[in-house]
């Protein structure tokens, strides 16, 4: 896990993974904006990213059988989804604030694109270095 | 891949919201459907939403953080009694001269329609953003 490409890309592959995981939860919040009793959920991005980055380290135990115990986060290393503190819960028990979810979704999409752009530029730098232009 | 699950989640939301729009259209269309018998009058219909957990991926701890889509678990019929109106000249009027109309509040149905169309638009926007991100991910490293 310490090849030159891994070092060049830095934390961004893990950031992509966490951002896509978070997008899934936010999409689920927006989809359930009218479902009675649904509780909005989100990831703690910093903790999830730290966990995902830590799991790429040398000390991680590989599981080769479905019966093996999971170490660390287990699910691609993105930590547990937390429940959002409701800003104005409705009578039917739904805690989704549609505007807030939209803003967070947009922010997360920008983060994802930023990581993509970063990886793209690093790949083109590496390609230039290999070609020796 | 995580992003591809969003298509299922938002797709289920689009489907649920269009069912909701369908019931609203049916309620509005039948708001003035008069009958001569209070038992056969049209009853307003409302969809019941419930979240449904996506299939967790292999090796994940059970129920840890599965994302949820929406499903319509049923269509509930309103139990509100029909509104009786005295119109002896109406061809469907009963012996006392009353016709019976469904207890549908048109304004309530219209606001419900606006809410449903907003939710539909939200999920459609989530879908298009996700599609764009997936396409960009597929082109990773080419630029």
């Amino acid at each position: 896990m310490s090849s030159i490409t891994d070092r060049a890309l830095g934390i961004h592959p893990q950031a992509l993974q966490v951002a896509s995981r978070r997008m899934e939860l936010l999409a689920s919040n927006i989809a359930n904006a009218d479902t009675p009793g649904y509780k909005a959920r989100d990831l703690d991005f910093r903790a999830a990213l730290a966990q995902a980055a830590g799991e790429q380290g040398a000390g991680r135990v590989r599981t080769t059988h479905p019966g093996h115990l999971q170490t660390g986060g287990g699910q691609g290393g993105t930590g547990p989804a937390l429940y959002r503190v409701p800003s104005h819960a409705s009578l039917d028990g739904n805690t989704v604030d549609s505007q807030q979810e939209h803003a967070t979704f947009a922010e997360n999409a920008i983060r994802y694109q930023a990581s993509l752009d970063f990886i793209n530029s690093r790949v083109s730098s590496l390609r230039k270095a290999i070609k020796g232009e | 891949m995580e992003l591809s699950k969003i298509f299922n989640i938002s797709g289920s939301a689009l489907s649920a919201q269009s069912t909701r729009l369908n019931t609203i259209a049916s309620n509005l269309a039948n708001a003035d459907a008069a009958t001569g018998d209070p038992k056969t009058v049209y009853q307003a219909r409302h969809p019941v939403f419930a979240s449904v957990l996506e299939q967790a991926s292999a090796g994940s701890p059970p129920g840890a953080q599965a994302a949820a889509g929406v499903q319509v678990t049923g269509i509930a019929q309103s139990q509100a009694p029909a509104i009786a109106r005295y119109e002896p000249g109406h061809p469907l009027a009963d012996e006392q001269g009353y016709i019976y109309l469904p207890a549908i509040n048109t304004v309530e149905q219209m606001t419900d329609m606006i809410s449903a169309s907003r939710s539909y638009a939200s999920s459609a926007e989530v879908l298009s953003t996700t599609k764009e991100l997936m396409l960009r991910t597929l082109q990773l490293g080419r630029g």
Side-chain angles (χ1 to χ4, degrees), chain A residues 16-17 19-38 41 43 66 70 73-76 78-81 98 102 105-106 108-110 112-117 119-121 123-124 127, chain B residues 1-3 5-6 9-10 12-13 17 20 48-54 56-57 59-61 63-71 115-116 119 121-123 125-127 129-130 132-134 136-137 139-143:
Chain A
L16 276 187
Q17 195 187 354
S20 66
R21 178 72 210 147
R22 190 166 180 224
M23 293 254 295
E24 195 188 317
L25 283 174
L26 294 174
S28 146
N29 288 348
I30 292 172
N32 284 286
D34 294 319
T35 308
Y38 181 85
R41 289 182 302 171
L43 286 180
Q70 294 287 342
Q75 194 174 6
T78 50
S98 200
H102 263 284
F105 188 85
N108 198 53
I110 300 282
Y112 191 93
Q113 289 200 9
S115 287
L116 277 183
D117 284 349
I119 293 175
N120 260 332
S121 71
V123 167
S124 67
R127 194 174 281 157
Chain B
M1 181 155 182
E2 310 274 358
L3 283 184
K5 274 191 198 168
I6 297 181
I9 294 167
S10 292
S12 72
Q17 296 296 346
R20 188 173 166 204
V48 181
F49 287 177
S51 53
V52 53
L53 291 180
E54 287 290 311
S57 50
S60 61
Q65 46 171 283
V70 196
Q71 65 174 354
S115 167
S119 300
S122 293
S123 288
E125 202 185 305
V126 167
L127 265 187
T129 308
T130 309
E132 198 177 308
L133 287 181
M134 269 192 96
R136 290 193 57 170
T137 312
Q139 289 169 350
L140 190 62
R142 285 193 196 163

Side-chain angles (χ1 to χ4, degrees), chain B residues 18-69:
Chain B
S18 66
T19 306
R20 188 173 166 204
L21 279 172
N22 265 327
T23 58
I24 293 167
S26 160
N27 292 345
L28 282 174
N30 287 289
D32 287 325
T35 59
D37 182 4
K39 289 189 184 69
T40 59
V41 78
Y42 177 85
Q43 297 288 2
R45 284 152 169 77
H46 297 283
V48 181
F49 287 177
S51 53
V52 53
L53 291 180
E54 287 290 311
Q55 197 78 43
S57 50
S60 61
Q65 46 171 283

Side-chain angles (χ1 to χ4, degrees), chain A residues 77-113:
Chain A
T78 50
L82 307 171
Y83 288 98
R84 212 185 271 297
V85 177
S87 53
H88 57 268
S90 54
L91 268 181
D92 61 2
N94 187 301
T95 64
V96 178
D97 180 348
S98 200
Q99 281 75 32
Q100 191 193 357
E101 299 300 338
H102 263 284
T104 319
F105 188 85
E107 183 219 329
N108 198 53
I110 300 282
R111 272 180 203 268
Y112 191 93
Q113 289 200 9

